[in-house]
Amino acid sequence: ILNVEQSPQSLHVQEGDSTNFTCSFPSSNFYALHWYRWETAKSPEALFVMTLNGDEKKKGRISATLNTKEGYSYLYIKGSQPEDSATYLCAFSGNAGNMLTFGGGTRLMVKP
Amino acid sequence: DVKVTQSSRYLVKRTGEKVFLECVQDMDHENMFWYRQDPGLGLRLIYFSYDVKMKEKGDIPEGYSVSREKKERFSLILESASTNQTSMYLCASSLVAAQETQYFGPGTRLLVL
C-alpha cells in the first residue's frame, strides 16, 4: 500500500488569513497528483490534476504546486473565506497501478 | 455535468443484516469505485469495476462484495453487517482510466448497531 500523507490533519484560521497545507507521496513511478475539496454534506469535487514536476495550478484564490522529485505538493489558499471550510484531499497515482491512493485529508475551518 | 447518485444518505442496520448500497452514474463512465472513509484514514478503496461484470479487489475488500450488472450501476453488498463496518461509504466513477479524475457521489453514512 502506497504512503500518501497530508499535514496538518486539521487547521483553524481566521477569515482573511492565507494558509497552506502539504501532501507527500512516493517520489518514484509518478503519474499524477489530484487535489479534491470535500465540503460537509456534499460530494468531493476535483480541484486540480497535476502531472509535471514544477506544475502550478490556480483556481481563484486556491493554487497548488508540485515537486515530483522530492514527492510533495502544496495547496495554498489566499485570503481564506468561511466558504473555503472543507476537507482537502490529495490523491496520488503511479505508473505501476491504476488506482488513486488518497491521503488522510486536511480539514480546514475558517472562522468569520 | 457528471452526476453520481447513491441510494441513501443515512442508513441504520443491525449486526448480521445484509446491506445493499447502490450507486448510479449518468455519464457512461467505464470505471466505478467504492471507498470507505474513516476519520484520519482518508478514502480507502474497497472494490473497483472497469466494465460490466468485471471487478477487482481494492485495499480492504474483506466483508464486502460488489455487483455490476449494468454499466451505470455499481452495488456494494455487506453480506453480514458488523459494527466495524460503520463508516461513510463513497461511490465514484471515472471515464476510461482509473487514474483520471474521479467523480463522487454524496456518500452514505452507515451505522451498524
Side-chain angles (χ1 to χ4, degrees), chain B residues 22-33:
Chain B
E22 301 263 308
C23 175
V24 178
Q25 50 94 4
D26 67 357
M27 284 301 290
D28 205 34
H29 282 180
E30 300 289 332
N31 302 300
M32 296 188 76
F33 309 82

Side-chain angles (χ1 to χ4, degrees), chain A residues 1 9 31 34 36 38 41-44 46 49 89 93-95 97-100 102-104, chain B residues 4 9 33 35 37 40-43 45 48 56 59 88 90 98-102 104-106:
Chain A
I1 295 180
Q9 202 167 41
Y31 181 83
H34 300 242
Y36 289 84
W38 189 6
K42 294 187 178 179
S43 308
V49 182
L89 297 166
S93 65
N95 289 336
N98 291 330
M99 303 302 126
L100 294 186
F102 284 83
Chain B
V4 180
R9 292 300 300 269
F33 309 82
Y35 295 92
Q37 192 264 342
L41 294 179
L43 301 183
L45 182 66
F48 156 58
E56 282 194 17
D59 298 322
M88 168 71 88
L90 282 164
Q99 292 163 313
E100 293 177 348
T101 295
Q102 294 183 12
F104 286 86

Side-chain angles (χ1 to χ4, degrees), chain A residues 5 7-8 15 38 50 85:
Chain A
E5 293 187 354
S7 62
E15 182 176 354
W38 189 6
M50 308 174 79
S85 297

